[in-house]
Amino acid sequence: MEVKEILFMNKGDGENSYVKSSGYMQKVAAATQPMVSGAVQSFFRENCSNPPLEVLNVADLGCSSGPNTFTVMSTVIESTVKSCSELGREIPEIQFYLNDLVGNDFNTLFKGLTVIEEIFKNVPWFAMGAPGSFHGRLFPRNSMHLVHSLYGVHWLSKVPKLTNEGGLPLNKGKIYISKTSPPGVREAYLSQFQEDFLLFLKCRSPEMVPDGRMVLIFHGRKSADPTLRESCYTWEILAETISYLVSQGVINEEKLDSFNVPYYIPSQEEAQDIVDKEGSFTIEFIDTIVVERGSTWSRPEARARSLRAFTEPMISHQFGEEVMDKLYGKVTDILVLEDSKQGNESSGVSIVLELKKKKI
């Protein structure tokens, strides 16, 4: 199995499940819903002179199996009802396409739809799964009116090439960009993000109707420097932990040196440059926001569980299930020690981007 294929797979219902550890993502989803609502209302206002829309097609990309998708669905339905009421229009049927990689637990996702069924009994809405990578085409031409993605776009389609001409690792002892990484590592990560985000936009462009809206929320950074703590804190903790287990003979050093995460945290300027280069969309809104993680984040044990739920699929794929308890136990130890020295990261940085498909 490719590393990319396991990134969005749900971890089940146990203590370390992604669903139970996604409180911060739920806070981000809630904080960004006004953007989703505004995008829906703007679409209806700008297309009120056209024949009444019979079906509103909405895609949620990289939806996983958590409650965030239901938050988005509720916002879309409520905003559609409100917009149509204000414009004196009949409410269209709403078709949701819930996308993630083929390994996602779609059954868990569909079971959760009973929440939406109870709330919106009198609104005609439907949902179906749309398995596949959003780095390729997913939908027919001119079919999508609204596309949404929460914390998906920063995942890369593959790990950038991080070896020299002789095949030796460039990022030895690390798993992401760090202060000790040579410039080639930063350049390779940025280049891969540029390639992937450009492809993402090129794939969405033919799928969306003119004036269609796309709302993207993804991890971001405020600084131009990708090596600052705000960008690489999680991966530095894991690299330190894995290095310790290498020193103890628990993990083979070659496994560490051959592993880097398919993930990139861009700046707002980097994301905007790619949108401008692709050329199919106008930027209606872009901002870098900071969301507090909440009181539970103050406890090292809670942060370690959250980090485990977020990273374990790809970490265990590389280093083996048998060392996971020891690895994340060491993560907890490091977080406790860090707290005693400098405190914890109590907030997270995200980029919020609303795009409108240009008319040709």
Side-chain angles (χ1 to χ4, degrees):
M1 180 185 292
E2 296 290 335
V3 172
K4 182 65 177 69
E5 291 179 326
I6 63 177
L7 295 182
F8 297 116
M9 287 174 64
N10 180 259
K11 289 295 294 176
D13 298 318
E15 180 183 11
N16 296 315
S17 76
Y18 184 74
V19 172
K20 291 187 177 181
S21 301
S22 59
Y24 173 68
M25 285 185 65
Q26 291 176 44
K27 291 187 71 173
V28 174
T32 55
Q33 287 320 288
M35 181 65 59
V36 177
S37 179
V40 173
Q41 293 178 55
S42 295
F43 175 78
F44 277 103
R45 281 197 306 269
E46 294 182 16
N47 292 274
C48 63
S49 61
N50 296 331
L53 189 66
E54 293 184 353
V55 179
L56 180 73
N57 288 317
V58 182
D60 192 19
L61 307 183
C63 64
S64 189
S65 301
N68 304 313
T69 290
F70 310 139
T71 300
V72 174
M73 292 174 70
S74 296
T75 300
V76 170
I77 295 172
E78 290 170 354
S79 302
T80 299
V81 171
K82 179 180 179 181
S83 296
C84 291
S85 175
E86 292 175 348
L87 295 168
R89 289 193 149 199
E90 185 177 347
I91 300 172
E93 295 184 337
I94 305 173
Q95 174 67 63
F96 291 100
Y97 296 87
L98 308 181
N99 159 260
D100 213 318
L101 297 174
V102 294
N104 186 58
D105 185 357
F106 284 95
N107 286 330
T108 297
L109 183 64
F110 293 146
K111 288 176 183 177
L113 292 176
T114 54
V115 176
I116 308 297
E117 290 174 352
E118 285 298 314
I119 299 173
F120 300 105
K121 294 179 179 179
N122 299 320
V123 180
W125 66 271
F126 306 88
M128 65 179 295
S133 170
F134 56 51
H135 290 111
R137 285 285 304 277
L138 292 166
F139 308 109
R141 287 183 174 274
N142 295 312
S143 61
M144 290 294 119
H145 302 97
L146 176 68
V147 172
H148 173 272
S149 179
L150 175 68
Y151 282 6
V153 174
H154 48 238
W155 288 108
L156 303 176
S157 65
K158 61 182 179 181
V159 177
K161 185 177 183 296
L162 296 173
T163 55
N164 62 21
E165 293 180 357
L168 297 176
L170 289 177
N171 206 26
K172 190 173 175 64
K174 299 294 181 179
I175 63 175
Y176 183 62
I177 304 168
S178 73
K179 285 191 176 297
T180 61
S181 299
V185 172
R186 306 178 201 180
E187 294 164 5
Y189 264 104
L190 174 58
S191 177
Q192 187 63 53
F193 174 75
Q194 290 171 331
E195 178 183 324
D196 284 344
F197 192 31
L198 187 67
L199 179 59
F200 175 90
L201 295 173
K202 285 183 178 295
C203 289
R204 303 292 78 77
S205 177
E207 296 172 348
M208 298 187 68
V209 301
D211 288 335
R213 298 311 203 270
M214 182 152 57
V215 178
L216 307 174
I217 302 102
F218 45 97
H219 280 150
R221 65 178 198 269
K222 293 179 288 185
S223 171
D225 184 355
T227 70
L228 295 185
R229 181 181 171 90
E230 67 173 356
S231 302
C232 53
Y233 174 70
T234 295
W235 309 117
E236 284 288 89
I237 293 292
L238 280 170
E240 182 180 346
T241 300
I242 298 167
S243 293
Y244 171 79
L245 294 183
V246 168
S247 72
Q248 299 299 302
V250 177
I251 289 177
N252 187 292
E253 185 175 10
E254 291 183 359
K255 283 193 172 185
L256 169 58
D257 292 341
S258 64
F259 179 73
N260 290 277
V261 294
Y263 191 99
Y264 183 72
I265 301 175
S267 67
Q268 181 175 311
E269 292 73 23
E270 288 171 348
Q272 185 167 343
D273 286 346
I274 298 169
V275 175
D276 293 340
K277 180 179 179 180
E278 196 280 329
S280 296
F281 300 90
T282 59
I283 296 177
E284 298 293 285
F285 178 87
I286 185 169
D287 197 11
T288 302
I289 65 170
V290 178
V291 177
E292 293 298 319
R293 296 184 186 274
S295 59
T296 57
W297 192 255
S298 63
R299 299 193 299 272
E301 295 80 7
R303 302 208 308 281
R305 285 196 298 271
S306 180
L307 189 149
R308 181 170 186 169
F310 164 49
T311 62
E312 186 175 7
M314 58 181 167
I315 297 295
S316 64
H317 179 70
Q318 174 72 5
F319 300 106
E321 289 279 356
E322 66 278 4
V323 302
M324 289 301 99
D325 288 344
K326 185 173 293 186
L327 191 153
Y328 288 101
K330 182 62 179 177
V331 165
T332 304
D333 295 340
I334 292 174
L335 291 175
V336 170
L337 183 60
E338 283 221 340
D339 279 11
S340 67
K341 293 180 178 179
Q342 58 186 352
N344 66 75
E345 294 286 316
S346 60
S347 60
V349 179
S350 299
I351 295 173
V352 182
L353 179 60
E354 180 188 350
L355 305 176
K356 181 170 74 171
K357 172 68 185 299
K358 292 179 180 178
K359 292 182 178 179
I360 299 175

